[in-house]
Amino acid sequence: MSLAACSAGGAENESSEVDVLTVAASAAVTTWDPITSFSTEALYLGNLYEPLLWKNAEGSAEEFTPAIAESWETSEDGLTWTFHIREGVTFHDGEVVDAAAVVASIEAARERAGAAFIWAPLESLEATDDSTVVMHLAYSAPMDLVAASTYGAWIVSPKALEASAADELYFEAGIDAGTGPYTLDEYSPGEKVVLTAFNDYWNTDTASHYDIVDISITPDAVTAQQMLTAGEVDFATSIPLENIESVAEQTGSDIRTANSPFNYLAMLNTTRPPLDDPIVRQALSYAVPYQDIIDVSALGYGSQSRAAVPKGIFPYSEDVAQYTQDLDKARELLAQAGHPDGFTLELTFASENPTETRFVPLIKDAFAQIGVEVNVTAMLFNQQWEAAKADPATAQDIFVVYYWPTYSDAGSDNLYSLFHSSEEPFFNLSYWDNPEYDALIDTASTLTGSDREAAQATYEQAMELLVDQAPALFLFDAQAVTVAPVGLTIGDFNENYPFTTFFSRITPSE
């Protein structure tokens, strides 16, 4: 039966010859190339491709789930990682998955992936036999986390890799060459993606219930909401946060919340007065109305940050200290620092981010209560970022940032990228330079692959220093919020793959 003969609505699907799941999804496709992909098409690619292993959500019984690798081990020094490749797996193009195919995928990622930098620790790798891949590292690193990345770690058919090397547009014709539960059946740019169940998928436990997933690309969340409530689709990946409760009530759906890797912080320019003084930065930290920010901008769907590591992502720790709003303490510290009458600061934020638009006025109002005037400028993020990197001496005083790690290691990403010193600013837009912090981060990063507990402890020391010295205001970690429609059972959200909706984990409710 053709897709056109299948209904677009769930009720009619019951009488169809094939089972169709209809979806409204906001994710655009910038490329179908699984190697170069570094954007929102991860929503689809996570259904077409698989990594060596999957990182499980916080609270799971096991940290990882085997995928293309059925087992793995590392040497005591963390410099050699061995992955044993699952037998009996085939790519969608019929090619056999073996160690040579894995090596070819990783080599392609090292050379041209959008996230090629995740493989920086890798000195060399080899297929020692048809089912064994050995990675040799230049320094100890957590290759289990790297191999489970949502970017730059997909295992791809060697035949397709060869074809794409000869033609960089090879995948853009709508070709896929993965091992996942679905194949790419149809793509209309900006309009539609149709996935078809892969009948030879190796993992029968997680094979798709639905024969077809018919996805309408719907960037506007209000439109997606209307499609869901009108019964035009079975599921929507994005609904306006302010309408979540009304949509759930209207459709008899459940609201599901989970950790996400997304957090908000405000970088303080530490290169010039008055923000070069940590006492002033502590005062501002005490002035922030943390819970009000969560309630107003995230409608309560969030939690106050602990340093810059989002909840559920390594090396998050509940033991890391937090500031609470205390305006009297803030005024006391400002007076102690020699600013009893306050001062004026310049703040920039991304105009296209509605959450920032909602909470920035709360910061401005709270600071006004301790005598600090804040002049606010909304800019497109790229313009804001370029201006901030140009010259710290003339840059903004406060830079509001929405950030997430590339893969599930916020130590090597958030803590390093945002606060480790560098010759030229990139993401360290507080321009902070603290040798003690740098040493702790550098040490922790070399321990993560060989002694995760020691790395965790060292990162926690660095985070405590970060909170004490306050080069940024650590605002909140956003939660993932899903409306689970009546009639569907939806798998748990995994904060390690925030851009992917795993359609094989959606089934009709019994």
Side-chain angles (χ1 to χ4, degrees):
M1 172 176 279
S2 69
L3 179 60
C6 302
S7 84
E12 295 180 31
N13 287 346
E14 295 175 2
S15 61
S16 301
E17 294 179 19
V18 294
D19 280 325
V20 180
L21 177 70
T22 53
V23 179
S26 59
V29 177
T30 64
T31 180
W32 284 111
D33 188 333
I35 301 298
T36 61
S37 168
F38 204 14
S39 191
T40 54
E41 65 276 350
L43 182 144
Y44 314 107
L45 295 186
N47 294 280
L48 303 173
Y49 296 89
E50 295 173 299
L52 287 172
L53 54 151
W54 297 106
K55 177 74 171 69
N56 294 331
E58 183 193 39
S60 301
E62 301 292 336
E63 187 175 4
F64 296 94
T65 294
I68 297 303
E70 60 182 356
S71 63
W72 62 98
E73 63 265 357
T74 182
S75 60
E76 188 174 343
D77 61 8
L79 294 176
T80 304
W81 289 73
T82 303
F83 292 86
H84 303 283
I85 307 308
R86 189 180 302 278
E87 296 183 358
V89 181
T90 58
F91 291 103
H92 297 161
D93 62 7
E95 293 287 293
V96 174
V97 176
D98 58 14
V102 170
V103 168
S105 294
I106 295 174
E107 289 288 14
R110 293 176 71 192
E111 178 181 346
R112 60 185 181 87
F117 59 87
I118 69 174
W119 296 103
L122 185 59
E123 194 167 70
S124 65
L125 76 164
E126 57 183 329
T128 56
D129 57 42
D130 286 346
S131 60
T132 308
V133 172
V134 179
M135 299 182 185
H136 303 284
L137 309 188
Y139 53 89
S140 174
M143 300 311 289
D144 46 5
L145 295 175
V146 172
S149 173
T150 195
Y151 294 114
W154 303 123
I155 305 305
V156 185
S157 167
K159 186 165 65 175
L161 289 176
E162 184 177 347
S164 65
D167 176 8
E168 63 181 16
L169 298 179
Y170 172 77
F171 286 105
E172 309 313 336
I175 294 171
D176 86 87
T179 60
Y182 296 96
T183 62
L184 179 58
D185 185 67
E186 180 184 342
Y187 172 55
S188 299
E191 296 180 4
K192 180 187 285 286
V193 172
V194 179
L195 307 180
T196 301
F198 179 44
N199 292 329
D200 294 326
Y201 182 52
W202 65 270
N203 192 346
T204 56
D205 290 339
T206 59
S208 172
H209 167 85
Y210 292 98
D211 302 295
I212 293 171
V213 182
D214 184 11
I215 307 161
S216 298
I217 300 176
T218 315
D220 180 59
V222 173
T223 302
Q225 171 190 324
Q226 293 169 344
M227 294 173 72
L228 179 65
T229 55
E232 297 175 19
V233 295
D234 302 312
F235 179 65
T237 64
S238 179
I239 290 174
L241 204 56
E242 60 270 23
N243 297 338
I244 288 286
E245 292 187 7
S246 63
V247 170
E249 183 177 352
Q250 181 179 352
T251 59
S253 304
D254 293 329
I255 298 174
R256 304 265 293 274
T257 61
N259 296 333
S260 88
F262 306 114
N263 69 356
Y264 288 91
L265 59 160
M267 312 293 276
L268 305 178
N269 189 334
T270 62
T271 63
R272 61 173 188 255
L275 298 181
D276 60 342
D277 185 345
I279 296 177
V280 170
R281 303 196 298 263
Q282 291 168 3
L284 297 182
S285 299
Y286 277 114
V288 174
Y290 298 98
Q291 192 57 51
D292 288 348
I293 285 174
I294 295 169
D295 291 341
V296 170
S297 65
L299 302 183
Y301 295 112
S303 58
Q304 186 180 337
S305 298
R306 294 186 183 274
V309 176
K311 183 175 173 59
I313 303 293
F314 174 81
Y316 177 85
S317 173
E318 295 281 345
D319 294 331
V320 173
Q322 295 173 311
Y323 288 93
T324 56
Q325 188 180 37
D326 186 336
L327 296 178
D328 289 337
K329 179 71 172 177
R331 294 185 190 99
E332 176 187 327
L333 288 173
L334 284 185
Q336 178 184 332
H339 303 282
D341 299 321
F343 41 78
T344 299
L345 298 174
E346 303 294 326
L347 179 151
T348 64
F349 74 96
S351 58
E352 66 268 42
N353 188 311
T355 301
E356 294 180 11
T357 301
R358 287 192 288 264
F359 73 65
V360 163
L362 301 180
I363 295 176
K364 177 180 174 69
D365 291 346
F367 284 9
Q369 295 181 57
I370 61 170
V372 176
E373 181 181 354
V374 178
N375 296 323
V376 174
T377 303
M379 308 170 66
L380 291 173
F381 175 78
N382 284 341
Q383 296 174 356
Q384 179 193 15
W385 190 25
E386 290 305 316
K389 290 186 294 181
D391 184 0
T394 57
Q396 75 295 317
D397 297 300
I398 305 175
F399 186 116
V400 176
V401 176
Y402 175 54
Y403 198 83
W404 61 92
T406 299
Y407 67 99
S408 303
D409 183 351
S412 65
D413 195 332
N414 298 44
L415 295 180
Y416 185 96
S417 299
L418 293 169
F419 297 105
H420 193 286
S421 64
S422 59
E423 290 187 11
E424 299 291 335
F426 193 70
F427 284 131
N428 181 351
L429 300 175
S430 65
Y431 321 110
W432 193 46
D433 185 347
N434 185 294
E436 181 183 358
Y437 178 85
D438 286 358
L440 287 168
I441 293 296
D442 292 341
T443 298
S445 66
T446 65
L447 293 171
T448 310
S450 57
D451 189 340
R452 198 72 51 93
E453 289 186 6
Q456 175 74 41
T458 306
Y459 274 131
E460 287 184 23
Q461 291 181 55
M463 286 188 277
E464 290 291 356
L465 181 61
L466 197 61
V467 172
D468 177 68
Q469 292 297 296
L473 309 173
F474 305 108
L475 303 176
F476 74 98
D477 302 338
Q479 288 182 325
V481 186
T482 302
V483 171
V486 64
L488 289 182
T489 298
I490 298 176
D492 291 337
F493 182 87
N494 186 337
E495 67 268 17
N496 302 290
Y497 303 97
F499 298 106
T500 302
T501 298
F502 294 99
F503 297 117
S504 65
R505 299 177 192 173
I506 301 178
T507 60
S509 299
E510 296 181 358

